[in-house]
Amino acid sequence: MSTRAFGSRIQRNIDPQLLRGEGSFVDDIPLANALHVAFVRSPFARARINSIDVTAACTHPGVAAVYTCDNIGDLDLELPLLIPHSSMTDARTQRPLARGDVYYVGQTVAMVVAVDRYTAEDAAALVDVDYDPLEVEIDLEKAILDGSPLVHPTHPNNIAAHLVQVSGNPDRAIAEAEHVTRVRVQVDRSTAAAMECRAVAAIFDRVTGELTVWDGTQAPLSVRGGLASILNIDEDKVRVIAPNVGGGFGQKVLLFYPDELLVPFAARHLGRPVKYIEDRRENFVGSTQERTQIHTIELYAKKTGEVLALRDSFLHDTGAFIPYGIAVAQVASTSIAGPYRIPNIWVEFKAVYTPTVPVTPYRGCGRPHACFAIERAMDQLADDLGLDRFEIRRRNLIGDDEFPKLREGLLFADGLPVSLDSGQYHKALEMLHDKLDVANFAAEQQKAREAGRHLGLGMAFYVEGTGLGPYEGGHIKIHPITGKVYVNTGLTSQGQGHDTVFAQIVSDQLGVKVEDVILVEGDTKAFDWGVATFASRAAVVSGNAIHKSALIVRNKTLTAAANMLEASADDIELRDGAAWVKGTDRQVSLAAVATATNPLRYAFNESAKAATQFAPASRHDGPALGEGQAPGLEATDYYSPPCATWAYGVHGAILEVDPEICSVKVRRYVCIHDCGNMINPMIVEGQVMGGIAQGIGGAMYERIEFDTDGNMINANFVDFLVPYATEVPQVEILHLETPSPLNPLGVKGVGEAGCIPVGAVIASGIDDALRPFGAAPFQHIPITPSMIYAAVTGG
Amino acid sequence: MKPPLFEYRAPRSLKDAIALLAGDSGAMVLAGGQSLIPALNMRLASPSRLVDIQHIEGLKGISVQDGRIVVKAMTRHRQLELSEAAHRANPLIREAMAHVAHVPIRNRGTVVGSLCHADAAAEMPMVLLATDGSVVAEGPRGRREIAAEDFFQFHMTTTREPDEIITEARFSVLPAGAGWAFEEFTRRHGDYAIAAVAAIVDRTSGHVSLAACGISSRPVRLRQSEEIIAKGGLVPDVLKAAGEAAKEAVTAPDDMHASTDYRRHLLAGLVRRAVEKAASRTK
Ligand SMILES: Cc1cc2nc3c(=O)[nH]c(=O)nc-3n(C[C@H](O)[C@H](O)[C@H](O)COP(=O)(O)OP(=O)(O)OC[C@H]3O[C@@H](n4cnc5c(N)ncnc54)[C@H](O)[C@@H]3O)c2cc1C
């Protein structure tokens, strides 16, 4: 190997195709004679359905079928509770099509299938549903009060789940504390807003009995398992393909959305291809969201600033249903102590039903909320004790020699105890301090203030448990004709660059060019085992599985090549697509090795001749394949992490608040980031940058607005403000690489990292800028101009 | 997000277009489509007929004549923005247009379309008002000129009759030596204004023109502020007072992007800044 691919800034294999518009998304799949779907959705947040009249819709020209809960057979069921947990009783999940009641605006009530989407929408408007609207309470804090309208009569006070977790001995520590800081923080609801909305298409082949589904999902294997089970077909007769997918961010993990079941069902029922392409409005009102949490967090400290104990109690909005269990709240509650030593923790949450779109993980999944709570509390503690914001952190950050840092009693989202495995937290903090030139900032701030300008410095630290199990696999095969290497895994990609980073891992082991390693994923026929893309886990879990498989193929190749070159395996090196006897020019191409390891009858090319039955090198004294031998250069292996591996980082910004306009301009944004060994720093930076852009959205722009009746009043890109490139600051990214001790590649996840601390950074910076106004700290994101107005005018 | 069924017509002459419009009470004019097509897709509008005016002879171009900048109906935002003649005649126009949406939308959307759409937070209606401009309407009953002051009624409502086509807009040329400024605040670059102010200050005549958008159900002239400045002169205290007086023009209720109180505060600041900048540009 001349240069290592692992660690290099290699351009992404997939980009030329995507940039030329040659990608193939679900809507690009040519399906002759396909029918198209539109849904009738509830206009009420909570109502009883008295009747549904589909007569006019059924007779509308071009309509093939109209489905309600009454004619979908076995699909008229409560969808699965994907992640059961003892903190929930009688967890409520949605039905594909409403029966009796509706629980949020946008819930699917009927499905129209027609010759095209225009016709389907026309006919959907003809479905006559008679509703009796019921009272609702949208406000999270009011929803749990006695007497509030219930989303589900089965759940008093709308409590969907309640969990208390304790680490250490908080009661004793609290008694010993000399100071307590208490803050209430709130993060509002948002949505992933992927570029491509969700999409599902299906065909059912009556001859073979095979169902093929194209689904813009993050989890084709899981979707296949569920479809097979609900439709009662063998798994091997169901093929789920996630082609190019335009962003996921967690929203496309959930199974099942009603359409994911109903579209395959209709394809089988009608004997024609059926397609559903979700539009933007449907994505807003029908696909899952996240974020609303209200925390009351208390830090019990000594006068020195050393935090002895943390108490946090929070409400988590789970929407009308809880199909993904408590995942988001659980991640928030177990990440609450952040990067700090804090030995004693008491954390409680209540997940609350509200008559709104259900909540499932969205990039960050509870971590931005936890980070906002602990970091705002740390800033406040510093203020209370007259300490600098960097100093309070220095006094509490976990030291390099304190890893692994176990938080006994806290179970993470993988069901395993929280254990922060490695890091250089102090070094990261000092790097930020230097890079932002914090030492000189106070003078600069003072000078600006004298000139009537309000500069502020904000900062926040975060940790991220990444690389969750249970497991993933990797299959690798060197192709006999071209020598190209094919890699399969059970994941899907929504733009992350799997095809490049996995190729880099394989390239180093097999000595082939990165471009000659071809990843095929997102197809249940390509690889059969695994879970899905979520929780910043692809590089850690699939990456290591692929690495392990590559090692096996490497050894097979060395042995076979040694045999062919009549050398010892120790003297063979793999580079430039061939096996070489070290220090000589004797070599054999990997294609030839792959061919030779496959005993052949027919000589279809030159190298094949050497593998045929009468060739001199072939065995003539027994079976062509010895006992236990397999043909070719191929292997499959799996990786199952012992527990999550914890990445971290610290961000800082210098921003300017204009009190006359109430605007915020971020002047500098610095990110110090550590995700262990980096496979491709350019891709890491892309992930971090994208995360920060999303974080800027959460900090200042993106907020789903419900009116008091539960109508989403900004279900469009005019009023739901996704920041443009013009709103996202230049970001300076510096890396640290502390290898994870938990996996062979030493990698940690990076998918969600960027978005986690941004809200806390911005709030901290605005506080700092507006200190002369004596305003209360900003404890609620997103921060809007109206909120800044209230702060600067004391209003 | 697919529009309901409609009939599409693309006449070549203004006469045919007017006849098509008059012949169907559910007909609508289609210009650049940047507002109308999204409205169709969201099924917020459901015209029975669309009369596309882009192929009509004589509806394109910009000319400067008799103290007026005449912008024909099918002139795209971007054409006016980049027009040197228009810029020389009134630099306020280019400065304002940089805030109208984004370049790809300005490439297709028309200036007159924006005036007809009459969003209460749109920039160009306010510029028309600030420059004492007008539009020309042609319909089955003939041709009439409507002053900006009389044209904009409410959010998305003008005094254009349904069977009339606006064939041109007329912005006034900036008086010699006058200063100009445009100040806007949006949460994201290119969005409709939370509030924006256009100012023209002519030291020679003592005339001050101030208009705002985003603050009411239509673009408004800030007459009271104009008077305060005309009387008190271009000094800091007066500008501040003019800003304070402008607050009364804010009638927009609290919405998800701004509270009414904040909008008032913002407008006062924008007025002060706009007049200050315009004054600094006078010769
Ligand atoms: C993402 C986005 C952001 C935007 N941001 C802004 C912004 O910040 N500020 C802003 O001002 N605008 C903004 N717009 C709107 C844009 O400026 C439109 O181009 C403009 O409002 C309409 O012009 P049009 O030619 O596209 O008109 P169309 O969409 O074709 O028509 C708009 C309306 O005017 C009528 N109409 C058009 N021309 C005539 C005519 N000659 N006679 C009679 N009636 C006519 C139509 O019947 C229709 O009702 C934005 C649009 C988008 C999509």
Side-chain angles (χ1 to χ4, degrees):
Chain A
M1 272 163 285
S2 22
T3 49
R4 239 164 84 86
F6 190 109
S8 304
R9 293 176 177 271
I10 290 171
Q11 297 216 331
R12 306 189 338 150
N13 281 347
I14 198 172
D15 285 347
Q17 189 197 16
L18 292 180
L19 294 173
R20 281 198 298 259
E22 291 165 4
S24 181
F25 298 81
V26 172
D27 202 17
D28 299 318
I29 308 291
L31 290 174
N33 212 17
L35 295 165
H36 297 258
V37 163
F39 284 98
V40 176
R41 294 173 182 276
S42 169
F44 296 107
R46 193 68 186 80
R48 271 216 60 76
I49 297 176
N50 294 324
S51 63
I52 306 175
D53 183 353
V54 298
T55 332
C58 284
T59 53
H60 188 73
V63 170
V66 180
Y67 297 101
T68 67
C69 61
D70 286 331
N71 59 347
I72 54 172
D74 292 346
L75 293 197
D76 180 32
L77 79 176
E78 282 188 8
L79 291 170
L81 167 64
L82 294 169
I83 310 179
H85 191 277
S86 59
S87 63
M88 293 176 286
T89 42
D90 191 16
R92 304 316 305 262
T93 61
Q94 188 176 335
R95 309 177 85 87
L97 294 173
R99 170 172 288 287
D101 284 71
V102 285
Y103 298 88
Y104 62 94
V105 174
Q107 186 179 346
T108 44
V109 174
M111 178 171 93
V112 178
V113 187
V115 288
D116 56 44
R117 171 77 186 216
Y118 297 82
T119 309
E121 284 190 27
D122 292 345
L126 299 175
V127 174
D128 189 7
V129 188
D130 180 22
Y131 297 98
D132 271 341
L134 302 172
E135 254 195 293
V136 295
E137 180 54 69
I138 298 295
D139 185 291
L140 196 56
E141 286 172 314
K142 290 186 190 146
I144 58 168
L145 300 178
D146 289 342
S148 270
L150 297 181
V151 179
H152 303 284
T154 43
H155 287 73
N157 301 81
N158 291 306
I159 307 287
H162 181 203
L163 184 67
V164 176
Q165 298 200 70
V166 180
S167 184
N169 188 342
D171 287 341
R172 198 176 59 208
I174 286 167
E176 285 165 11
E178 297 163 348
H179 173 83
V180 55
T181 285
R182 177 181 300 111
V183 298
R184 176 194 180 279
V185 305
Q186 180 167 344
V187 177
D188 283 340
R189 193 182 269 230
S190 186
T191 187
M195 253 200 265
E196 186 200 11
C197 296
R198 294 186 316 94
V200 185
I203 51 175
F204 181 73
D205 185 329
R206 279 179 210 264
V207 178
T208 61
E210 276 182 36
L211 175 70
T212 305
V213 180
W214 291 267
D215 187 347
T217 178
Q218 296 174 230
L221 281 165
S222 308
V223 169
R224 182 191 65 166
L227 268 177
S229 137
I230 292 173
L231 299 176
N232 198 21
I233 319 178
D234 282 333
E235 282 201 330
D236 275 27
K237 293 278 184 195
V238 182
R239 179 179 185 185
V240 179
I241 302 167
N244 287 141
V245 176
F249 310 109
Q251 192 187 60
K252 297 176 185 171
V253 176
L254 177 71
L255 52 143
F256 288 95
Y257 285 102
D259 46 88
E260 285 178 304
L261 287 175
L262 292 166
V263 167
F265 167 83
R268 185 165 73 163
H269 186 230
L270 300 171
R272 279 174 70 177
V274 178
K275 208 177 215 190
Y276 168 66
I277 307 298
E278 182 189 64
D279 70 26
R280 185 57 64 184
R281 184 160 42 190
E282 292 176 293
N283 184 264
F284 272 106
V285 302
S287 288
T288 58
Q289 306 180 335
E290 211 213 75
R291 290 285 198 256
T292 310
Q293 281 184 3
I294 301 172
H295 290 246
T296 303
I297 179 170
E298 297 165 343
L299 298 181
Y300 293 86
K302 290 196 191 156
K303 286 266 182 328
T304 58
E306 184 194 336
V307 180
L308 303 175
L310 177 163
R311 270 178 73 95
D312 179 43
S313 173
F314 69 94
L315 298 179
H316 166 77
D317 171 13
T318 190
F321 298 101
I322 194 160
Y324 214 82
I326 58 165
V328 178
Q330 188 171 25
V331 171
S333 65
T334 46
S335 305
I336 193 69
Y340 306 112
R341 212 175 283 120
I342 310 180
N344 304 293
I345 299 165
W346 183 93
V347 57
E348 169 196 47
F349 68 79
K350 291 184 178 126
V352 183
Y353 287 122
T354 58
T356 58
V357 187
V359 167
T360 67
Y362 157 44
R363 193 183 206 173
C365 182
R367 299 172 186 92
H369 326 47
C371 177
F372 192 66
I374 179 69
E375 290 300 279
R376 300 283 42 227
M378 274 291 172
D379 276 8
Q380 185 63 50
L381 178 63
D383 243 29
D384 290 353
L385 299 178
L387 288 171
D388 168 77
R389 285 173 292 170
F390 281 79
E391 189 53 34
I392 193 82
R393 286 168 172 90
R394 274 184 207 113
R395 296 186 187 181
N396 286 288
L397 283 176
I398 297 168
D400 296 3
D401 54 359
E402 293 172 82
F403 292 106
K405 168 75 184 166
L406 180 68
R407 299 204 197 276
E408 208 160 357
L410 303 190
L411 288 188
F412 198 52
D414 51 6
L416 299 167
V418 171
S419 173
L420 291 80
D421 51 288
S422 57
Q424 306 172 65
Y425 294 178
H426 287 270
K427 184 167 179 194
L429 188 70
E430 298 317 318
M431 280 169 76
L432 179 73
H433 196 270
D434 289 354
K435 187 75 185 169
L436 263 187
D437 196 15
V438 176
N440 291 312
F441 178 72
E444 192 190 336
Q445 185 182 42
Q446 189 50 37
K447 230 175 88 193
R449 270 181 195 155
E450 282 157 18
R453 292 175 49 220
H454 298 274
L455 298 182
L457 185 149
M459 58 97 61
F461 216 115
Y462 73 94
V463 292
E464 184 195 1
T466 72
L468 273 61
Y471 81 98
E472 291 295 337
H475 169 253
I476 296 182
K477 182 175 176 183
I478 302 180
H479 276 251
I481 304 289
T482 60
K484 292 198 183 185
V485 183
Y486 275 64
V487 178
N488 307 113
T489 185
L491 302 182
T492 59
S493 181
Q494 300 82 40
Q496 296 90 336
H498 293 175
D499 66 329
T500 310
V501 292
F502 293 158
Q504 286 175 262
I505 291 170
V506 172
S507 154
D508 281 347
Q509 296 308 329
L510 301 183
V512 293
K513 282 194 284 198
V514 170
E515 310 88 271
D516 288 339
V517 181
I518 292 146
L519 177 72
V520 180
E521 59 175 352
D523 180 350
T524 56
K525 276 273 193 286
F527 196 78
D528 221 11
W529 299 103
V531 186
T533 300
F534 62 90
S536 303
R537 66 193 291 278
V540 178
V541 191
S542 273
N544 279 293
I546 288 167
H547 172 70
K548 287 172 71 188
S549 310
L551 290 177
I552 301 173
V553 174
R554 175 185 169 78
N555 284 332
K556 284 190 180 180
T557 309
L558 290 175
T559 310
N563 199 19
M564 291 168 81
L565 293 164
E566 298 183 341
S568 136
D570 292 344
D571 290 333
I572 305 286
E573 64 178 342
L574 303 181
R575 63 177 160 85
D576 303 329
W580 302 71
V581 179
K582 284 181 197 159
T584 75
D585 59 0
R586 291 175 53 221
Q587 54 102 351
V588 53
S589 75
L590 292 192
V593 183
T595 304
T597 51
N598 179 21
L600 289 170
R601 178 145 180 89
Y602 305 113
F604 43 76
N605 68 14
E606 270 311 307
S607 37
K609 269 188 205 162
T612 50
Q613 286 155 311
F614 299 102
S618 298
R619 262 182 91 173
H620 304 289
D621 57 350
L625 280 181
E627 193 58 39
Q629 260 187 339
L633 299 175
E634 182 174 18
T636 301
D637 205 349
Y638 300 88
Y639 175 72
S640 183
C643 64
T645 178
W646 290 71
Y648 67 94
V650 54
H651 294 194
I654 290 174
L655 49 76
E656 181 168 352
V657 182
D658 179 337
E660 193 173 29
I661 302 299
C662 303
S663 63
V664 178
K665 178 96 195 147
V666 179
R667 300 277 172 215
R668 279 189 73 193
Y669 197 102
V670 176
C671 160
I672 314 292
H673 176 259
D674 187 348
C675 62
N677 293 332
M678 287 187 285
I679 306 169
N680 185 330
M682 192 186 71
I683 285 179
V684 166
E685 283 163 14
Q687 286 291 325
V688 171
M689 193 54 238
I692 290 175
Q694 225 152 8
I696 290 285
M700 293 191 280
Y701 299 98
E702 297 173 356
R703 180 178 196 274
I704 294 285
E705 303 273 350
F706 291 103
D707 67 14
T708 48
D709 292 331
N711 299 298
M712 200 185 294
I713 54 174
N714 62 343
N716 60 66
F717 279 162
V718 179
D719 291 319
F720 179 79
L721 307 178
V722 178
Y724 301 130
T726 39
E727 280 64 57
V728 177
Q730 282 288 328
V731 174
E732 303 158 61
I733 302 176
L734 296 184
H735 301 285
L736 273 169
E737 284 186 89
T738 314
S740 169
L742 300 180
N743 62 68
L745 293 172
V747 297
K748 302 177 180 183
V750 65
E752 295 163 277
C755 73
I756 298 170
V758 187
V761 172
I762 299 293
S764 163
I766 296 177
D767 279 358
D768 191 40
L770 295 184
R771 241 174 262 278
F773 292 86
F778 283 81
Q779 310 292 28
H780 186 171
I781 47 174
I783 296 171
T784 63
S786 300
M787 286 158 75
I788 292 173
Y789 165 75
V792 297
T793 56
Chain B
M1 282 203 200
K2 301 289 182 203
L5 204 62
F6 56 82
E7 179 194 5
Y8 171 84
R9 303 297 290 266
R12 304 273 150 175
S13 75
L14 189 60
K15 205 171 131 257
D16 288 352
I18 291 169
L20 284 166
L21 213 48
D24 180 345
S25 62
M28 280 181 90
V29 175
L30 175 68
Q34 297 304 291
S35 295
L36 184 50
I37 298 293
L40 289 180
N41 285 344
M42 307 238 237
R43 298 194 174 211
L44 297 172
S46 44
S48 45
R49 172 185 287 174
L50 282 187
V51 182
D52 186 344
I53 60 171
Q54 68 175 321
H55 303 291
I56 295 176
E57 286 308 317
L59 277 193
K60 292 188 180 117
I62 300 160
S63 59
V64 181
Q65 55 197 42
D66 307 331
R68 302 227 138 159
I69 302 159
V70 177
V71 181
K72 296 278 192 188
M74 276 313 298
T75 306
R76 314 283 175 177
H77 285 300
R78 190 70 172 159
Q79 289 167 329
L80 180 61
E81 182 187 1
L82 298 180
S83 159
E84 284 307 323
H87 181 58
R88 272 194 306 275
N90 195 339
L92 174 63
I93 290 178
R94 184 179 289 176
E95 194 157 302
M97 293 201 76
H99 297 267
V100 178
H102 314 269
V103 173
I105 290 157
R106 296 205 292 275
N107 281 337
R108 290 203 67 85
T110 63
V111 177
V112 170
S114 179
L115 301 176
C116 294
H117 189 61
D119 191 295
E123 290 83 0
M124 295 316 286
M126 169 180 66
V127 172
L128 196 75
L129 198 62
T131 64
D132 296 305
S134 64
V135 295
V136 173
E138 292 198 38
R141 293 161 305 284
R143 193 179 147 97
R144 61 183 181 128
E145 183 171 358
I146 311 170
E149 195 77 66
D150 302 325
F151 187 61
F152 304 108
Q153 289 203 299
F154 312 106
H155 182 53
M156 296 174 68
T157 312
T158 66
T159 50
R160 179 183 72 87
E161 295 294 334
D163 57 2
E164 284 179 315
I165 291 177
I166 303 299
T167 53
E168 63 187 49
R170 299 170 170 183
F171 298 87
S172 303
V173 165
L174 190 76
W180 74 95
F182 180 89
E183 291 287 335
E184 170 171 307
F185 179 68
T186 56
R187 292 181 64 188
R188 297 178 305 183
H189 174 83
D191 281 352
Y192 280 107
I194 290 193
V197 172
I200 296 170
V201 172
D202 186 352
R203 284 191 200 260
T204 330
S205 66
H207 177 76
V208 176
S209 170
L210 278 173
C213 67
I215 58 158
S216 176
S217 63
R218 57 176 176 161
V220 287
R221 277 292 282 265
L222 302 171
R223 301 279 182 203
Q224 215 191 328
S225 305
E226 290 176 1
E227 273 166 35
I228 291 174
I229 300 167
K231 279 204 197 108
L234 297 161
V235 293
D237 280 355
V238 172
L239 300 197
K240 208 160 172 250
E244 286 302 311
K247 287 182 172 175
E248 281 185 28
V250 178
T251 58
D254 288 355
D255 65 28
M256 71 183 93
H257 300 304
S259 65
T260 303
D261 286 346
Y262 162 56
R263 257 203 182 88
R264 294 203 163 108
H265 173 86
L266 172 64
L267 181 66
L270 294 177
V271 164
R272 186 189 64 71
R273 287 178 188 201
V275 179
E276 210 168 76
K277 193 185 228 177
S280 75
R281 284 164 159 175
T282 54
K283 292 199 190 87

